[in-house]
Amino acid sequence: MSQIKVRSALISVFYKDNLEPIVELLKAQGVTIYSTGGTQKFIEEQGAEVIAVEDLTSYPSIFGGRVKTLHPKVFGGILYRRDNDGDKEQAAEFEIPAIDLVIVDLYPFEQTVASGASEQDIIEKIDIGGISLIRAAAKNFKDVLVVSSREQYPALETLLREKAGSTDIDDRRKFAAESFDISSHYDTAIFNYMAQGQSIDRFKVSERESKKLRYGENPHQEGHFYGPLESLFDQLNGKELSYNNLVDVDAAVSLIEEFSTDENAFAILKHTNACGVAIGSSVKDAYLKAFAADTISAFGGVLVSNQPITTEAAEELHTLFFEVLIAPKFEAGALEILKAKKNRILLMKKQNLTGQKQFKNLLNGVIVQDRDLASDDSSDFKLATKKATTADQDRALVFASKIAKHTKSNTIVLAKEGQLLASGVGQTSRVDALRQAIDKAKQFGFDLNGAVMASDAFFPFPDCVEIAHAEGVAAVIQPGGSIKDQHSIDFCDSHDMAMVMTGTRHFKH
């Protein structure tokens, strides 16, 4: 029975918006409509005749509406197999009418949780009848069409119009698949709420919003983004974000959120690592200081500011080719300048990142961890050397540590107060990372005398502080924890260097 004429429909929805055209079509096509409660009233107001579910079942809605449609005459009409003689005989015996179309949505559970409602209100938004109807109709897609969300109303309206109230097996199977998507997402949201504070070690994530990317990390790889990206950014200009853009944007936003909005912070990233970071007297000043750290790598980079982009800053930024610029706001004059390049991506950031977990697939499973939300502050410093740090050095050390936290390990960051001088990134040896940073600082004309050094992890040997001292580095920040910490401390003490330890490692792989 591939082609089936819709002769009867059960409609029970929470959201009534955009339902009117569907009701008009069903009425015009002579479809028998079953409904209950507020939906019944809404349909009758459209001038359509409705058979109340209570009249079908000869049973009232009970327990404050918790039980309305859970009845054999409803579920039997959905589930009985039209090509099964035994099912047809039983349907006739028990006077169970066929239901060919089920239009049901679910109580807004996620929205109720997000609103901060009481637990009792949240529990009442766990749908029972609706999700049961959806699963039943989706299971029997050979005979029944199921519509499980108002998002599907336009598709249903088109289908009913184009096929004069009939559906074929491909239509019904597609709607059924979408219904199981909706029901599984709903159950995941409920589980994640109910499991809070419970020792139930499970990994369940569901994202229904998706965006196909131009390609993945490379052109031969397919890529998608899953999630409500529009809630985080408004894209004001440019081509579609690519997979690599998104990876860099995530790194850029994570880094810039380390800095207070009381200061003008600016960062330039390439392949998720910062090649320039600075705090300035203005957005323009912060950008120029960040750009000075590596005028080569900035080409084609991802830029981020924690302050609105001014027209003055835009004039400077416009001289650089970059892929993406992220900021909380853009002045009108700045937008006019920056939009001159049609492919230049401009993102207005609307809110901070809220995720508490990170995960990725590897081997034959998934690894999950808490996001690294620990940020080093001078109040966390434990002075390890005889020589104390100055207030200026403390500020520089905090600044450098923030950058090291968001740089691929092994990393060494060299900085002065409010400016990244250079960093060594992703090296297999911490010594190599330091040497890379030193070479880069010199390449771009920086004097390392009086600079500070940050390391994402401890020094197993004193070689890094020895090399840093030879270049004029005056103060060091590291987590500590090596059984040979004292070797590095002793060197600093004998060479008038200051070192603080934080006790917090910031590996980033």
Side-chain angles (χ1 to χ4, degrees):
M1 297 178 67
S2 176
Q3 192 82 12
I4 293 178
K5 179 78 172 176
V6 174
R7 303 185 186 281
S8 59
L10 170 64
I11 309 176
S12 179
V13 295
F14 185 87
Y15 295 107
K16 315 297 190 296
D17 40 320
N18 299 320
L19 186 61
E20 297 99 320
I22 307 296
V23 173
E24 284 299 319
L25 273 172
L26 296 176
K27 182 173 67 171
Q29 292 170 356
V31 175
T32 300
I33 300 176
Y34 300 95
S35 191
T36 186
T39 307
Q40 177 183 345
K41 181 181 177 183
F42 176 85
I43 295 171
E44 288 173 337
E45 288 172 353
Q46 309 307 308
E49 292 185 9
V50 180
I51 298 174
V53 168
E54 291 85 348
D55 293 338
L56 171 65
T57 63
S58 300
Y59 222 90
S61 172
I62 57 177
F63 307 133
R66 280 189 164 196
V67 179
K68 290 182 286 190
T69 56
L70 295 167
H71 192 281
K73 280 204 170 181
V74 175
F75 281 86
I78 295 168
L79 283 166
Y80 92 78
R81 293 158 291 188
R82 277 51 160 182
D83 59 355
N84 183 293
D85 291 339
D87 285 8
K88 288 193 289 186
E89 288 172 6
Q90 285 191 312
E93 178 184 356
F94 294 106
E95 299 181 331
I96 297 174
I99 297 175
D100 306 316
L101 170 64
V102 173
I103 304 176
V104 179
D105 62 9
L106 300 171
Y107 292 158
F109 178 82
E110 289 178 280
Q111 295 89 328
T112 305
V113 172
S115 73
S118 68
E119 176 151 287
Q120 184 57 44
D121 288 340
I122 291 170
I123 296 302
E124 287 305 316
K125 289 298 185 291
I126 296 177
D127 207 311
I128 302 301
I131 205 158
S132 301
L133 290 167
I134 288 171
R135 289 180 64 85
K139 176 177 179 175
N140 199 25
F141 70 89
K142 284 180 63 179
D143 302 311
V144 180
L145 179 69
V146 56
V147 177
S148 49
S149 168
R150 55 182 169 172
E151 299 167 7
Q152 298 170 307
Y153 289 174
L156 173 63
E157 183 182 354
T158 299
L159 178 64
L160 292 174
R161 285 189 190 282
E162 291 183 351
K163 296 187 177 179
S166 294
T167 68
D168 60 40
I169 189 66
D170 289 337
D171 301 324
R172 298 191 296 276
R173 189 182 188 99
K174 183 176 186 295
F175 275 86
E178 290 174 344
S179 294
F180 283 120
D181 167 46
I182 287 169
S183 67
S184 65
H185 177 82
Y186 195 76
D187 284 340
T188 296
I190 294 170
F191 168 79
N192 286 332
Y193 173 79
M194 297 295 289
Q196 292 178 103
Q198 307 298 321
S199 56
I200 306 174
D201 192 9
R202 300 289 186 274
F203 177 70
K204 293 185 186 294
V205 175
S206 177
E207 291 289 354
R208 294 197 61 246
E209 293 188 45
S210 68
K211 179 181 179 64
K212 192 175 190 305
L213 305 175
R214 297 198 303 274
Y215 50 80
E217 200 161 10
N218 299 291
H220 63 278
Q221 295 170 270
E222 187 173 300
H224 290 80
F225 178 84
Y226 295 93
L229 191 63
E230 292 76 15
S231 69
L232 193 60
F233 302 109
D234 282 336
Q235 183 166 345
L236 307 179
N237 191 66
K239 59 188 177 182
E240 289 188 0
L241 285 158
S242 69
Y243 180 100
N244 292 331
N245 288 155
L246 288 165
V247 173
D248 283 333
V249 166
D250 176 71
V253 169
S254 297
L255 172 58
I256 207 67
E257 288 183 1
E258 293 284 345
F259 297 96
S260 167
T261 53
D262 294 332
E263 54 195 3
N264 299 302
F266 201 100
I268 305 170
L269 288 87
K270 201 74 171 288
H271 298 293
T272 74
N273 293 304
C275 55
V277 185
I279 296 170
S281 58
S282 65
V283 176
K284 176 183 174 180
D285 180 53
Y287 161 66
L288 288 173
K289 287 169 68 177
F291 179 66
D294 187 342
T295 58
I296 296 174
S297 296
F299 183 87
V302 170
L303 284 55
V304 62
S305 170
N306 71 344
Q307 300 295 333
I309 301 299
T310 61
T311 303
E312 177 190 43
E315 289 170 347
E316 283 292 340
L317 289 161
H318 187 56
T319 65
L320 174 70
F321 169 73
F322 60 85
E323 286 277 333
V324 184
L325 173 59
I326 310 156
K329 195 174 180 182
F330 293 78
E331 288 183 358
L335 274 180
E336 184 178 353
I337 293 167
L338 295 170
K339 282 185 172 182
K341 298 287 180 69
K342 66 177 183 179
N343 287 332
R344 179 182 280 160
I345 299 169
L346 304 177
L347 299 178
M348 187 170 73
K349 181 170 173 281
K350 298 190 286 188
Q351 64 180 53
N352 283 351
L353 299 176
T354 57
Q356 301 294 306
K357 297 286 186 181
Q358 293 175 314
F359 54 89
K360 64 180 178 180
N361 68 301
L362 53 74
L363 300 175
N364 62 343
V366 175
I367 54 173
V368 183
Q369 68 171 355
D370 297 331
R371 278 182 65 204
D372 184 359
L373 298 176
S375 296
D376 299 327
D377 186 76
S378 57
S379 61
D380 303 316
F381 291 177
K382 178 183 177 183
L383 184 64
T385 53
K386 294 175 183 176
K387 183 172 184 176
T389 54
T390 66
D392 286 347
Q393 286 174 338
D394 282 347
R395 287 189 289 272
L397 290 166
V398 169
F399 175 83
S401 177
K402 289 176 178 179
I403 300 168
K405 171 184 169 182
H406 293 275
T407 304
K408 192 170 182 63
S409 301
N410 287 308
T411 185
I412 292 289
V413 169
L414 300 175
K416 290 187 177 179
E417 185 178 351
Q419 185 176 26
L420 169 66
L421 304 182
S423 58
V425 304
Q427 298 300 301
T428 53
S429 156
R430 201 160 301 281
V431 170
D432 286 346
L434 174 56
R435 286 179 173 146
Q436 182 189 52
I438 292 168
D439 289 346
K440 193 170 185 181
K442 290 179 177 179
Q443 178 186 353
F444 292 100
F446 289 109
D447 180 2
L448 293 177
N449 280 299
V452 303
M453 175 173 72
S455 175
D456 59 334
F458 63 63
F459 299 115
F461 304 103
D463 44 12
C464 281
V465 291
E466 292 169 2
I467 296 168
H469 169 70
E471 299 296 334
V473 171
V476 179
I477 182 171
Q478 59 134 326
S482 169
I483 59 173
K484 296 182 179 180
D485 275 344
Q486 195 60 46
H487 293 249
S488 295
I489 295 169
D490 289 344
F491 181 88
C492 290
D493 281 341
S494 62
H495 291 82
D496 200 34
M497 295 176 71
M499 178 186 286
V500 297
M501 296 184 180
T502 63
T504 304
R505 190 182 73 184
H506 294 292
F507 268 166
K508 185 168 184 273
H509 288 91

